[in-house]
C-alpha cells in the first residue's frame, strides 16, 4: 500500500486529510499545531504516524502532500525531492517563478513526480472543455473569461491573484494547450495590507488560428461565490459553473454571420445543458497523484504547469506596478 505524508492540516490541509482518509493509503500527518494533530488522530490516523517534524517521516513514505502556507512550499518540497520522494504541492507551487523552476528541474533530475494542486484540471468539465477546443467543437477560439471570487475571508499568505487567479491561469493554459504571450494586470489593495485583494488579469494567447484574449477576475469583496468560466469560439460558446455538481456546462450555438449591406448578424442557435457524473476534484487529484507514484506517468498538473502559472501571476503583478502590458518570458 502506498504511504503518504500530509504536511499541513490547516484550512485546505483538513480537506486533504478527509479525502486521503477515504483512499487506500497508509497516512502520516505532520503539523506544528498540537490541536490539529489531535484532530488527525481522532479522525483515525494512528498516533505514531502523527508528529510535528515532517522530515522525520520521510524514510517511511512514498509520497508527500504539502498543504502549508505558500512561503514554506519551496524549502519543504526541495527537501522532500532531495530525499527521493514524489511530491504534490498545493498551489501556488512557490511564491516566485525562479523557485518553481528550480523545483521542477530538481524533480526531473531526481526522476521524481512533482504535481501541483491545480484542482480544476481534475474536474470532468475541464477535461471536456480541453477536448472540445482541441477537436474544433468551438471553431476558431476567440475569448476565455473566468470569474473566481466572492465575499470571503482573505488569505494572509499572499494576494488574491496568487490565491485564486492562479487557478484559472493554469486552467486556461490547460484548455488551450498553450501559455500566454502577453499579460496585463490591474490590481487593487482595498484593505491596505500591501497585497492585492481585487484583480483583473488580461492574457493574450497566440494560437495558429489567431489571437485568443482571456480575462480573469478575482477578489474578496463582491457578494456571492463565483467559480465560472466562459469559452467562446466562432461556432460555439460554453459557460461552465464549477459551483454546480452535475449540470456544469451550458453550450450556445451563437455565432456572427455576414449580413446585407456589409453588416454583421448575430445568430442565436440552440442551447444545451451538459451533464457530468458527480465527482470530487480533490479526490481525483489525489487519486492521480497516487497513480503517478505507481505508474511513473507525469500528472496533468506537473511542475511546468505550476511554474508557468506562477510566472503568469508574477508578470501580472509586475504589469500592474509598471502600468503596461508585459511579455511572458521564456
Amino acid at each position: 500500500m502506498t504511504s503518504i505524508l500530509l504536511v499541513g492540516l490547516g484550512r485546505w490541509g483538513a480537506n486533504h486529510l478527509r479525502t486521503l482518509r477515504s483512499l487506500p493509503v497508509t497516512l502520516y500527518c505532520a503539523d506544528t499545531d498540537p490541536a490539529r494533530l489531535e484532530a488527525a488522530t481522532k479522525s483515525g490516523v494512528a498516533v505514531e504516524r502523527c508528529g510535528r517534524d515532517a522530515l522525520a517521516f520521510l524514510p517511511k513514505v512514498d509520497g508527500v502532500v504539502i498543504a502549508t502556507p505558500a512561503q514554506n512550499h519551496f524549502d519543504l518540497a526541495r527537501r522532500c525531492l532531495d530525499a527521493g520522494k514524489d511530491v504534490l504541492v498545493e498551489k501556488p507551487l512557490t511564491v516566485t517563478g525562479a523557485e518553481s523552476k528550480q523545483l521542477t528541474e530538481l524533480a526531473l533530475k531526481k526522476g521524481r513526480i512533482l504535481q501541483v494542486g491545480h484542482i480544476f484540471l481534475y474536474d470532468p468539465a475541464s477535461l471536456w472543455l480541453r477536448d472540445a477546443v482541441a477537436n474544433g467543437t468551438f471553431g476558431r477560439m476567440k475569448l476565455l473569461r473566468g470569474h473566481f471570487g466572492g465575499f470571503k475571508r482573505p488569505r494572509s499568505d499572499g494576494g488574491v491573484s496568487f490565491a485564486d487567479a492562479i487557478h484559472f491561469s493554469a486552467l486556461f493554459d490547460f484548455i488551450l494547450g498553450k501559455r500566454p504571450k502577453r499579460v496585463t494586470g490591474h490590481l487593487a489593495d482595498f484593505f491596505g495590507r500591501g497585497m492585492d485583494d481585487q484583480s483583473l488579469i488580461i492574457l493574450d494567447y497566440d494560437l495558429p488560428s489567431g489571437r485568443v484574449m482571456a480575462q480573469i477576475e478575482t477578489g474578496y469583496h463582491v457578494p456571492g461565490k463565483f467559480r465560472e468560466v466562459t469559452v467562446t469560439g466562432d461556432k460555439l460558446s460554453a459557460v461552465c459553473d464549477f459551483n454546480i455538481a452535475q449540470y456544469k456546462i451550458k453550450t450556445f450555438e451563437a455565432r456572427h454571420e455576414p449580413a446585407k449591406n456589409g453588416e454583421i448578424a448575430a445568430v442565436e442557435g440552440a442551447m444545451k445543458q451538459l451533464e457530468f457524473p458527480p465527482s470530487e476534484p480533490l479526490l481525483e487529484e489525489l487519486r492521480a497523484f497516487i497513480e503517478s507514484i505507481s505508474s511513473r506517468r507525469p500528472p496533468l498538473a506537473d511542475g511546468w504547469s505550476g511554474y508557468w502559472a506562477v510566472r503568469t501571476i508574477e508578470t501580472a503583478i509586475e504589469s500592474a506596478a509598471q502600468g503596461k502590458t508585459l511579455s511572458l518570458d521564456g
Side-chain angles (χ1 to χ4, degrees), residues 8 12 25 41 56 62 69 73 85 103 129 147 154 158 182 196 210 212 216-217 220 222 235 255 260-261 312 315:
W12 192 240
V25 299
T41 60
D62 304 300
H73 287 182
K85 305 303 172 182
L103 284 184
L129 290 170
H147 186 186
R182 294 165 296 279
D196 57 305
V212 177
I216 303 170
E217 179 185 353
Y220 298 125
V222 178
K235 293 182 180 178
R255 62 193 185 278
K260 295 180 180 179
N261 303 320
T312 298
T315 305

Side-chain angles (χ1 to χ4, degrees), residues 27-330:
L27 183 59
Y28 293 76
C29 293
D31 197 288
T32 56
D33 186 339
R36 292 175 180 172
L37 292 173
E38 182 180 359
T41 60
K42 287 182 177 179
S43 76
V45 183
V47 173
E48 64 271 19
R49 297 203 299 268
C50 292
R52 295 169 61 91
D53 185 1
L55 300 181
F57 289 130
L58 289 184
K60 302 177 181 181
V61 301
D62 304 300
V64 182
V65 175
I66 298 174
T68 63
Q71 287 80 2
N72 300 331
H73 287 182
F74 174 73
D75 186 59
L76 270 171
R78 179 182 58 80
R79 288 170 178 260
C80 293
L81 290 169
D82 272 332
K85 305 303 172 182
D86 298 316
V87 184
L88 189 162
V89 185
E90 260 307 327
K91 61 79 198 166
L93 175 53
T94 66
V95 295
T96 71
E99 290 179 342
S100 291
K101 185 176 183 181
Q102 187 174 334
L103 284 184
T104 302
E105 291 175 342
L106 177 61
L108 291 170
K109 179 182 177 181
K110 295 284 187 178
R112 294 294 93 196
I113 298 296
L114 177 59
Q115 182 174 329
V116 185
H118 292 311
I119 194 170
F120 287 93
L121 275 59
Y122 294 90
D123 192 298
S126 300
L127 298 172
W128 186 90
L129 290 170
R130 178 199 63 178
D131 294 344
V133 168
N135 64 30
T137 299
F138 286 93
R140 182 178 66 81
M141 285 297 304
K142 297 191 290 186
L143 300 168
L144 294 173
R145 185 178 66 185
H147 186 186
F148 189 118
F151 188 79
K152 62 178 180 177
R153 179 166 70 92
R155 290 184 62 141
S156 59
D157 61 345
V160 73
S161 295
F162 264 117
D164 292 343
I166 198 166
H167 275 301
F168 284 172
S169 172
L171 177 60
F172 287 177
D173 289 2
F174 178 70
I175 289 173
L176 295 177
K178 299 275 285 187
R179 59 178 179 264
K181 291 290 187 181
R182 294 165 296 279
V183 181
T184 310
H186 301 277
L187 312 182
D189 177 16
F190 292 115
F191 293 130
R193 301 184 304 159
M195 61 183 77
D196 57 305
D197 47 61
Q198 189 73 27
S199 74
L200 178 64
I201 297 173
I202 308 297
L203 308 175
D204 277 299
Y205 293 83
D206 290 339
L207 270 59
S209 58
R211 177 194 184 195
V212 177
M213 186 174 75
Q215 70 175 50
I216 303 170
E217 179 185 353
T218 56
Y220 298 125
H221 305 278
V222 178
K225 180 181 179 181
F226 304 95
R227 306 287 186 273
E228 189 174 274
V229 164
T230 302
V231 179
T232 301
D234 64 358
K235 293 182 180 178
L236 190 78
S237 293
V239 177
C240 178
D241 187 345
F242 288 103
N243 284 329
I244 298 174
Q246 285 180 263
Y247 295 94
K248 293 184 178 182
I249 292 181
K250 292 180 180 179
T251 63
F252 302 84
E253 294 178 357
R255 62 193 185 278
H256 290 96
E257 295 181 348
K260 295 180 180 179
N261 303 320
E263 295 184 355
I264 298 174
V267 181
E268 296 187 19
M271 185 275 284
K272 295 180 181 179
Q273 197 165 31
L274 306 185
E275 180 181 8
F276 296 89
S279 70
E280 185 180 356
L282 180 58
L283 178 62
E284 298 306 320
E285 175 184 274
L286 289 168
R287 279 178 174 162
F289 179 53
I290 295 165
E291 169 62 24
S292 287
I293 290 174
S294 60
S295 70
R296 312 313 299 165
R297 286 193 295 269
L300 288 177
D302 63 4
W304 289 119
S305 170
Y307 165 72
W308 284 112
V310 170
R311 275 301 300 138
T312 298
I313 299 303
E314 268 189 334
T315 305
I317 294 170
E318 294 166 9
S319 164
Q322 298 183 31
K324 62 181 182 181
T325 297
L326 298 177
S327 296
L328 186 63
D329 58 17

